[in-house]
Amino acid sequence: MSILPLSGLAAILVEQHAPLVVDTVQLPAELNFGQVLVRLSFSGICGAQIGEIDGAKGADPFLPHLLGHEGSGEVIALGSGVSTVAEGDHVVLHWRPGDGLRGEPPRYRWNGQELNAGWVTTFNEYAVVSEDRITRIPGSFPLDIAPLLGCAVTTAFGVISNDACLKPGESVVVFGAGGVGLSIIQAATMMSAHPMVAVDLFPERLHLARELGATHCITSSTDGAERAIREVLPESVADVCVDTTGNPAVIELAIRVAGHKGRIVLVGVPHPTSAVSVHTLQFHFGKRLTGSHGGSSLPATDIPRLVRLIEAGKLDLGHLITRRQPLHQVNDAITAMRSGELRGRCLLEIGR
């Protein structure tokens, strides 16, 4: 039987609208049915974590708790019943359910109190995760790229293929060129979208969007952004609009820009106190508006497919990672994401 580590460093959400607390937490003494212990190597930071900090979905009843849902690492211990991975395997940690058992969420301890966690967390040195939240990858695959397969890239390809049902040659407008938005641009480009229009507040993000396949880049903070978007689209409307911002005004713009048979996919989540104003008649005649839940991705099948594309040199994710910081500097990374100075994805270096 493996000897489990007693504790590890983790970033803790203690209260909303406040910096994370980075401290040592106590791990469970043993693994339960369907649980897997992973030593994390890297974690991505997704906009969803900022949403949790900011209360994008309202008050958080589970405080204090751990965070993170895309990561990579090595399996170091197994609970009973686990069959899809073995000790020593390299794995991607993801929030969408995959193969294997659903184990119960772990019970950590911190400062003498119980510390909540879901089926997967990645802002910690050691994570007890449910078997269905990890997928094995080849030992030769780069662990620093692997976290992007836990959310950003699998979501992006799912949004384009499953939610938007993009056809070659159709026009796409992506609102928001953060980590997920950039991945969506890359996915749409691989599927021969044209034109591929990126819209964002920050020029640095748009520069990277162009590198990843955007044919046109438009700064949304300027007057006349809608006119500028329409000028580059065939017949002044888009086949597909994807919003990653969750900003009601941007969502309304996406709906206006989409054609009569256009598809609008909402990836970003508005604050619960905000509202989107839209006339519904247009949706009776072919225009479609849908929310996305991780692009309806299936990690157990989608991650191996994407790994094959990367290994074959057909998909390059290296450009998406534009900053690396140790776990104890997680708040600095979050500040950089909020300010817009960070283009692409920030990677937390947790362990090797």
PDB file of all heavy atoms in Angstrom, residues 164-198:
ATOM      1  N   ALA A 164     -21.768  24.978 -32.216  1.00  0.00           N
ATOM      2  CA  ALA A 164     -21.957  25.823 -33.403  1.00  0.00           C
ATOM      3  C   ALA A 164     -22.167  25.009 -34.668  1.00  0.00           C
ATOM      4  O   ALA A 164     -22.693  25.520 -35.653  1.00  0.00           O
ATOM      5  CB  ALA A 164     -20.745  26.745 -33.583  1.00  0.00           C
ATOM      6  N   CYS A 165     -21.745  23.736 -34.664  1.00  0.00           N
ATOM      7  CA  CYS A 165     -21.868  22.871 -35.860  1.00  0.00           C
ATOM      8  C   CYS A 165     -21.295  23.588 -37.091  1.00  0.00           C
ATOM      9  O   CYS A 165     -21.939  23.664 -38.145  1.00  0.00           O
ATOM     10  CB  CYS A 165     -23.319  22.467 -36.095  1.00  0.00           C
ATOM     11  SG  CYS A 165     -24.075  21.586 -34.705  1.00  0.00           S
ATOM     12  N   LEU A 166     -20.089  24.107 -36.934  1.00  0.00           N
ATOM     13  CA  LEU A 166     -19.464  24.903 -37.987  1.00  0.00           C
ATOM     14  C   LEU A 166     -19.197  24.075 -39.237  1.00  0.00           C
ATOM     15  O   LEU A 166     -18.738  22.942 -39.162  1.00  0.00           O
ATOM     16  CB  LEU A 166     -18.136  25.484 -37.480  1.00  0.00           C
ATOM     17  CG  LEU A 166     -17.374  26.364 -38.465  1.00  0.00           C
ATOM     18  CD1 LEU A 166     -18.098  27.693 -38.653  1.00  0.00           C
ATOM     19  CD2 LEU A 166     -15.949  26.588 -37.976  1.00  0.00           C
ATOM     20  N   LYS A 167     -19.480  24.697 -40.388  1.00  0.00           N
ATOM     21  CA  LYS A 167     -19.168  24.082 -41.682  1.00  0.00           C
ATOM     22  C   LYS A 167     -18.009  24.851 -42.316  1.00  0.00           C
ATOM     23  O   LYS A 167     -17.854  26.057 -42.090  1.00  0.00           O
ATOM     24  CB  LYS A 167     -20.381  24.118 -42.606  1.00  0.00           C
ATOM     25  CG  LYS A 167     -21.586  23.349 -42.087  1.00  0.00           C
ATOM     26  CD  LYS A 167     -22.764  23.479 -43.050  1.00  0.00           C
ATOM     27  CE  LYS A 167     -23.972  22.700 -42.538  1.00  0.00           C
ATOM     28  NZ  LYS A 167     -24.453  23.197 -41.237  1.00  0.00           N
ATOM     29  N   PRO A 168     -17.160  24.165 -43.105  1.00  0.00           N
ATOM     30  CA  PRO A 168     -16.036  24.849 -43.755  1.00  0.00           C
ATOM     31  C   PRO A 168     -16.508  26.059 -44.563  1.00  0.00           C
ATOM     32  O   PRO A 168     -17.519  25.992 -45.271  1.00  0.00           O
ATOM     33  CB  PRO A 168     -15.437  23.773 -44.666  1.00  0.00           C
ATOM     34  CG  PRO A 168     -15.809  22.486 -44.017  1.00  0.00           C
ATOM     35  CD  PRO A 168     -17.168  22.718 -43.420  1.00  0.00           C
ATOM     36  N   GLY A 169     -15.791  27.156 -44.422  1.00  0.00           N
ATOM     37  CA  GLY A 169     -16.115  28.365 -45.169  1.00  0.00           C
ATOM     38  C   GLY A 169     -17.118  29.273 -44.508  1.00  0.00           C
ATOM     39  O   GLY A 169     -17.387  30.372 -45.020  1.00  0.00           O
ATOM     40  N   GLU A 170     -17.689  28.866 -43.374  1.00  0.00           N
ATOM     41  CA  GLU A 170     -18.621  29.749 -42.679  1.00  0.00           C
ATOM     42  C   GLU A 170     -17.851  30.809 -41.891  1.00  0.00           C
ATOM     43  O   GLU A 170     -16.714  30.594 -41.456  1.00  0.00           O
ATOM     44  CB  GLU A 170     -19.524  28.947 -41.739  1.00  0.00           C
ATOM     45  CG  GLU A 170     -20.571  28.119 -42.459  1.00  0.00           C
ATOM     46  CD  GLU A 170     -21.599  27.545 -41.525  1.00  0.00           C
ATOM     47  OE1 GLU A 170     -21.217  26.953 -40.492  1.00  0.00           O
ATOM     48  OE2 GLU A 170     -22.807  27.675 -41.820  1.00  0.00           O
ATOM     49  N   SER A 171     -18.496  31.950 -41.698  1.00  0.00           N
ATOM     50  CA  SER A 171     -17.866  33.059 -40.976  1.00  0.00           C
ATOM     51  C   SER A 171     -18.104  32.915 -39.477  1.00  0.00           C
ATOM     52  O   SER A 171     -19.162  32.454 -39.035  1.00  0.00           O
ATOM     53  CB  SER A 171     -18.417  34.387 -41.467  1.00  0.00           C
ATOM     54  OG  SER A 171     -19.832  34.428 -41.335  1.00  0.00           O
ATOM     55  N   VAL A 172     -17.090  33.311 -38.710  1.00  0.00           N
ATOM     56  CA  VAL A 172     -17.152  33.200 -37.254  1.00  0.00           C
ATOM     57  C   VAL A 172     -16.663  34.504 -36.638  1.00  0.00           C
ATOM     58  O   VAL A 172     -15.654  35.066 -37.066  1.00  0.00           O
ATOM     59  CB  VAL A 172     -16.281  32.031 -36.737  1.00  0.00           C
ATOM     60  CG1 VAL A 172     -16.263  32.006 -35.211  1.00  0.00           C
ATOM     61  CG2 VAL A 172     -16.780  30.701 -37.277  1.00  0.00           C
ATOM     62  N   VAL A 173     -17.385  34.975 -35.619  1.00  0.00           N
ATOM     63  CA  VAL A 173     -16.934  36.104 -34.804  1.00  0.00           C
ATOM     64  C   VAL A 173     -16.819  35.613 -33.367  1.00  0.00           C
ATOM     65  O   VAL A 173     -17.780  35.073 -32.814  1.00  0.00           O
ATOM     66  CB  VAL A 173     -17.909  37.293 -34.871  1.00  0.00           C
ATOM     67  CG1 VAL A 173     -17.373  38.458 -34.028  1.00  0.00           C
ATOM     68  CG2 VAL A 173     -18.131  37.737 -36.307  1.00  0.00           C
ATOM     69  N   VAL A 174     -15.637  35.772 -32.771  1.00  0.00           N
ATOM     70  CA  VAL A 174     -15.409  35.391 -31.379  1.00  0.00           C
ATOM     71  C   VAL A 174     -15.227  36.659 -30.562  1.00  0.00           C
ATOM     72  O   VAL A 174     -14.327  37.467 -30.829  1.00  0.00           O
ATOM     73  CB  VAL A 174     -14.180  34.477 -31.237  1.00  0.00           C
ATOM     74  CG1 VAL A 174     -13.902  34.191 -29.761  1.00  0.00           C
ATOM     75  CG2 VAL A 174     -14.398  33.167 -31.993  1.00  0.00           C
ATOM     76  N   PHE A 175     -16.097  36.838 -29.574  1.00  0.00           N
ATOM     77  CA  PHE A 175     -16.026  37.997 -28.691  1.00  0.00           C
ATOM     78  C   PHE A 175     -15.280  37.587 -27.417  1.00  0.00           C
ATOM     79  O   PHE A 175     -15.759  36.758 -26.645  1.00  0.00           O
ATOM     80  CB  PHE A 175     -17.427  38.487 -28.340  1.00  0.00           C
ATOM     81  CG  PHE A 175     -18.189  39.018 -29.523  1.00  0.00           C
ATOM     82  CD1 PHE A 175     -18.965  38.171 -30.307  1.00  0.00           C
ATOM     83  CD2 PHE A 175     -18.121  40.361 -29.871  1.00  0.00           C
ATOM     84  CE1 PHE A 175     -19.666  38.649 -31.403  1.00  0.00           C
ATOM     85  CE2 PHE A 175     -18.829  40.854 -30.968  1.00  0.00           C
ATOM     86  CZ  PHE A 175     -19.594  39.999 -31.736  1.00  0.00           C
ATOM     87  N   GLY A 176     -14.099  38.177 -27.231  1.00  0.00           N
ATOM     88  CA  GLY A 176     -13.262  37.845 -26.084  1.00  0.00           C
ATOM     89  C   GLY A 176     -12.137  36.930 -26.492  1.00  0.00           C
ATOM     90  O   GLY A 176     -12.370  35.782 -26.889  1.00  0.00           O
ATOM     91  N   ALA A 177     -10.897  37.439 -26.418  1.00  0.00           N
ATOM     92  CA  ALA A 177      -9.733  36.655 -26.855  1.00  0.00           C
ATOM     93  C   ALA A 177      -8.856  36.297 -25.674  1.00  0.00           C
ATOM     94  O   ALA A 177      -7.630  36.458 -25.705  1.00  0.00           O
ATOM     95  CB  ALA A 177      -8.939  37.433 -27.911  1.00  0.00           C
ATOM     96  N   GLY A 178      -9.494  35.812 -24.611  1.00  0.00           N
ATOM     97  CA  GLY A 178      -8.749  35.233 -23.496  1.00  0.00           C
ATOM     98  C   GLY A 178      -8.350  33.802 -23.834  1.00  0.00           C
ATOM     99  O   GLY A 178      -8.361  33.394 -24.999  1.00  0.00           O
ATOM    100  N   GLY A 179      -8.037  33.013 -22.806  1.00  0.00           N
ATOM    101  CA  GLY A 179      -7.565  31.650 -23.058  1.00  0.00           C
ATOM    102  C   GLY A 179      -8.538  30.793 -23.835  1.00  0.00           C
ATOM    103  O   GLY A 179      -8.173  30.142 -24.812  1.00  0.00           O
ATOM    104  N   VAL A 180      -9.824  30.808 -23.427  1.00  0.00           N
ATOM    105  CA  VAL A 180     -10.816  30.003 -24.133  1.00  0.00           C
ATOM    106  C   VAL A 180     -11.123  30.607 -25.497  1.00  0.00           C
ATOM    107  O   VAL A 180     -11.224  29.898 -26.507  1.00  0.00           O
ATOM    108  CB  VAL A 180     -12.097  29.869 -23.288  1.00  0.00           C
ATOM    109  CG1 VAL A 180     -13.203  29.186 -24.091  1.00  0.00           C
ATOM    110  CG2 VAL A 180     -11.814  29.059 -22.029  1.00  0.00           C
ATOM    111  N   GLY A 181     -11.264  31.934 -25.566  1.00  0.00           N
ATOM    112  CA  GLY A 181     -11.542  32.586 -26.846  1.00  0.00           C
ATOM    113  C   GLY A 181     -10.459  32.315 -27.874  1.00  0.00           C
ATOM    114  O   GLY A 181     -10.753  32.031 -29.042  1.00  0.00           O
ATOM    115  N   LEU A 182      -9.197  32.395 -27.459  1.00  0.00           N
ATOM    116  CA  LEU A 182      -8.091  32.110 -28.377  1.00  0.00           C
ATOM    117  C   LEU A 182      -8.134  30.658 -28.847  1.00  0.00           C
ATOM    118  O   LEU A 182      -7.843  30.358 -30.010  1.00  0.00           O
ATOM    119  CB  LEU A 182      -6.762  32.414 -27.693  1.00  0.00           C
ATOM    120  CG  LEU A 182      -6.454  33.897 -27.456  1.00  0.00           C
ATOM    121  CD1 LEU A 182      -5.275  34.045 -26.507  1.00  0.00           C
ATOM    122  CD2 LEU A 182      -6.168  34.613 -28.778  1.00  0.00           C
ATOM    123  N   SER A 183      -8.488  29.760 -27.948  1.00  0.00           N
ATOM    124  CA  SER A 183      -8.598  28.352 -28.331  1.00  0.00           C
ATOM    125  C   SER A 183      -9.733  28.141 -29.325  1.00  0.00           C
ATOM    126  O   SER A 183      -9.623  27.341 -30.253  1.00  0.00           O
ATOM    127  CB  SER A 183      -8.822  27.480 -27.086  1.00  0.00           C
ATOM    128  OG  SER A 183      -7.740  27.581 -26.187  1.00  0.00           O
ATOM    129  N   ILE A 184     -10.838  28.878 -29.144  1.00  0.00           N
ATOM    130  CA  ILE A 184     -11.953  28.784 -30.085  1.00  0.00           C
ATOM    131  C   ILE A 184     -11.533  29.304 -31.454  1.00  0.00           C
ATOM    132  O   ILE A 184     -11.881  28.723 -32.492  1.00  0.00           O
ATOM    133  CB  ILE A 184     -13.174  29.550 -29.540  1.00  0.00           C
ATOM    134  CG1 ILE A 184     -13.736  28.828 -28.307  1.00  0.00           C
ATOM    135  CG2 ILE A 184     -14.259  29.688 -30.609  1.00  0.00           C
ATOM    136  CD1 ILE A 184     -14.778  29.623 -27.557  1.00  0.00           C
ATOM    137  N   ILE A 185     -10.771  30.396 -31.473  1.00  0.00           N
ATOM    138  CA  ILE A 185     -10.262  30.926 -32.739  1.00  0.00           C
ATOM    139  C   ILE A 185      -9.396  29.885 -33.434  1.00  0.00           C
ATOM    140  O   ILE A 185      -9.510  29.649 -34.654  1.00  0.00           O
ATOM    141  CB  ILE A 185      -9.463  32.219 -32.479  1.00  0.00           C
ATOM    142  CG1 ILE A 185     -10.423  33.339 -32.076  1.00  0.00           C
ATOM    143  CG2 ILE A 185      -8.640  32.626 -33.702  1.00  0.00           C
ATOM    144  CD1 ILE A 185      -9.739  34.556 -31.477  1.00  0.00           C
ATOM    145  N   GLN A 186      -8.535  29.237 -32.681  1.00  0.00           N
ATOM    146  CA  GLN A 186      -7.668  28.216 -33.273  1.00  0.00           C
ATOM    147  C   GLN A 186      -8.483  27.032 -33.786  1.00  0.00           C
ATOM    148  O   GLN A 186      -8.228  26.508 -34.870  1.00  0.00           O
ATOM    149  CB  GLN A 186      -6.644  27.752 -32.235  1.00  0.00           C
ATOM    150  CG  GLN A 186      -5.482  26.968 -32.807  1.00  0.00           C
ATOM    151  CD  GLN A 186      -4.364  26.771 -31.799  1.00  0.00           C
ATOM    152  OE1 GLN A 186      -4.577  26.852 -30.597  1.00  0.00           O
ATOM    153  NE2 GLN A 186      -3.168  26.502 -32.288  1.00  0.00           N
ATOM    154  N   ALA A 187      -9.494  26.616 -33.014  1.00  0.00           N
ATOM    155  CA  ALA A 187     -10.331  25.492 -33.441  1.00  0.00           C
ATOM    156  C   ALA A 187     -11.111  25.843 -34.703  1.00  0.00           C
ATOM    157  O   ALA A 187     -11.196  25.039 -35.647  1.00  0.00           O
ATOM    158  CB  ALA A 187     -11.296  25.101 -32.322  1.00  0.00           C
ATOM    159  N   ALA A 188     -11.687  27.056 -34.745  1.00  0.00           N
ATOM    160  CA  ALA A 188     -12.457  27.471 -35.924  1.00  0.00           C
ATOM    161  C   ALA A 188     -11.562  27.577 -37.150  1.00  0.00           C
ATOM    162  O   ALA A 188     -11.964  27.226 -38.268  1.00  0.00           O
ATOM    163  CB  ALA A 188     -13.145  28.797 -35.643  1.00  0.00           C
ATOM    164  N   THR A 189     -10.339  28.048 -36.954  1.00  0.00           N
ATOM    165  CA  THR A 189      -9.398  28.154 -38.069  1.00  0.00           C
ATOM    166  C   THR A 189      -9.040  26.776 -38.613  1.00  0.00           C
ATOM    167  O   THR A 189      -8.977  26.576 -39.836  1.00  0.00           O
ATOM    168  CB  THR A 189      -8.126  28.886 -37.610  1.00  0.00           C
ATOM    169  OG1 THR A 189      -8.483  30.203 -37.172  1.00  0.00           O
ATOM    170  CG2 THR A 189      -7.124  28.995 -38.729  1.00  0.00           C
ATOM    171  N   MET A 190      -8.828  25.815 -37.716  1.00  0.00           N
ATOM    172  CA  MET A 190      -8.513  24.453 -38.155  1.00  0.00           C
ATOM    173  C   MET A 190      -9.660  23.839 -38.945  1.00  0.00           C
ATOM    174  O   MET A 190      -9.444  22.979 -39.801  1.00  0.00           O
ATOM    175  CB  MET A 190      -8.173  23.569 -36.955  1.00  0.00           C
ATOM    176  CG  MET A 190      -6.810  23.833 -36.357  1.00  0.00           C
ATOM    177  SD  MET A 190      -6.376  22.588 -35.133  1.00  0.00           S
ATOM    178  CE  MET A 190      -6.241  21.123 -36.165  1.00  0.00           C
ATOM    179  N   MET A 191     -10.892  24.302 -38.658  1.00  0.00           N
ATOM    180  CA  MET A 191     -12.058  23.780 -39.354  1.00  0.00           C
ATOM    181  C   MET A 191     -12.472  24.676 -40.526  1.00  0.00           C
ATOM    182  O   MET A 191     -13.584  24.624 -41.005  1.00  0.00           O
ATOM    183  CB  MET A 191     -13.204  23.577 -38.373  1.00  0.00           C
ATOM    184  CG  MET A 191     -12.858  22.560 -37.284  1.00  0.00           C
ATOM    185  SD  MET A 191     -14.179  22.247 -36.101  1.00  0.00           S
ATOM    186  CE  MET A 191     -15.333  21.353 -37.125  1.00  0.00           C
ATOM    187  N   SER A 192     -11.509  25.526 -40.966  1.00  0.00           N
ATOM    188  CA  SER A 192     -11.637  26.328 -42.196  1.00  0.00           C
ATOM    189  C   SER A 192     -12.738  27.377 -42.138  1.00  0.00           C
ATOM    190  O   SER A 192     -13.432  27.630 -43.128  1.00  0.00           O
ATOM    191  CB  SER A 192     -11.851  25.412 -43.414  1.00  0.00           C
ATOM    192  OG  SER A 192     -10.755  24.535 -43.567  1.00  0.00           O
ATOM    193  N   ALA A 193     -12.893  28.018 -40.969  1.00  0.00           N
ATOM    194  CA  ALA A 193     -13.798  29.166 -40.898  1.00  0.00           C
ATOM    195  C   ALA A 193     -13.199  30.328 -41.692  1.00  0.00           C
ATOM    196  O   ALA A 193     -11.989  30.530 -41.708  1.00  0.00           O
ATOM    197  CB  ALA A 193     -13.985  29.593 -39.443  1.00  0.00           C
ATOM    198  N   HIS A 194     -14.088  31.104 -42.339  1.00  0.00           N
ATOM    199  CA  HIS A 194     -13.607  32.291 -43.059  1.00  0.00           C
ATOM    200  C   HIS A 194     -14.774  33.228 -43.360  1.00  0.00           C
ATOM    201  O   HIS A 194     -15.790  32.777 -43.877  1.00  0.00           O
ATOM    202  CB  HIS A 194     -12.921  31.916 -44.366  1.00  0.00           C
ATOM    203  CG  HIS A 194     -12.281  33.112 -45.020  1.00  0.00           C
ATOM    204  ND1 HIS A 194     -11.058  33.604 -44.631  1.00  0.00           N
ATOM    205  CD2 HIS A 194     -12.724  33.928 -45.996  1.00  0.00           C
ATOM    206  CE1 HIS A 194     -10.762  34.661 -45.362  1.00  0.00           C
ATOM    207  NE2 HIS A 194     -11.763  34.878 -46.196  1.00  0.00           N
ATOM    208  N   PRO A 195     -14.601  34.516 -43.030  1.00  0.00           N
ATOM    209  CA  PRO A 195     -13.505  35.063 -42.242  1.00  0.00           C
ATOM    210  C   PRO A 195     -13.621  34.675 -40.770  1.00  0.00           C
ATOM    211  O   PRO A 195     -14.699  34.317 -40.293  1.00  0.00           O
ATOM    212  CB  PRO A 195     -13.670  36.570 -42.427  1.00  0.00           C
ATOM    213  CG  PRO A 195     -15.121  36.759 -42.710  1.00  0.00           C
ATOM    214  CD  PRO A 195     -15.552  35.547 -43.476  1.00  0.00           C
ATOM    215  N   MET A 196     -12.493  34.765 -40.070  1.00  0.00           N
ATOM    216  CA  MET A 196     -12.424  34.471 -38.640  1.00  0.00           C
ATOM    217  C   MET A 196     -12.106  35.789 -37.929  1.00  0.00           C
ATOM    218  O   MET A 196     -10.999  36.308 -38.003  1.00  0.00           O
ATOM    219  CB  MET A 196     -11.325  33.429 -38.399  1.00  0.00           C
ATOM    220  CG  MET A 196     -11.006  33.111 -36.938  1.00  0.00           C
ATOM    221  SD  MET A 196     -12.379  32.423 -36.016  1.00  0.00           S
ATOM    222  CE  MET A 196     -12.827  33.842 -35.009  1.00  0.00           C
ATOM    223  N   VAL A 197     -13.133  36.364 -37.276  1.00  0.00           N
ATOM    224  CA  VAL A 197     -13.031  37.703 -36.702  1.00  0.00           C
ATOM    225  C   VAL A 197     -12.879  37.602 -35.183  1.00  0.00           C
ATOM    226  O   VAL A 197     -13.686  36.949 -34.511  1.00  0.00           O
ATOM    227  CB  VAL A 197     -14.269  38.551 -37.044  1.00  0.00           C
ATOM    228  CG1 VAL A 197     -14.106  39.974 -36.514  1.00  0.00           C
ATOM    229  CG2 VAL A 197     -14.523  38.545 -38.542  1.00  0.00           C
ATOM    230  N   ALA A 198     -11.854  38.244 -34.651  1.00  0.00           N
ATOM    231  CA  ALA A 198     -11.635  38.301 -33.203  1.00  0.00           C
ATOM    232  C   ALA A 198     -11.950  39.701 -32.703  1.00  0.00           C
ATOM    233  O   ALA A 198     -11.539  40.693 -33.316  1.00  0.00           O
ATOM    234  CB  ALA A 198     -10.193  37.941 -32.868  1.00  0.00           C
TER     235      ALA A 198
END
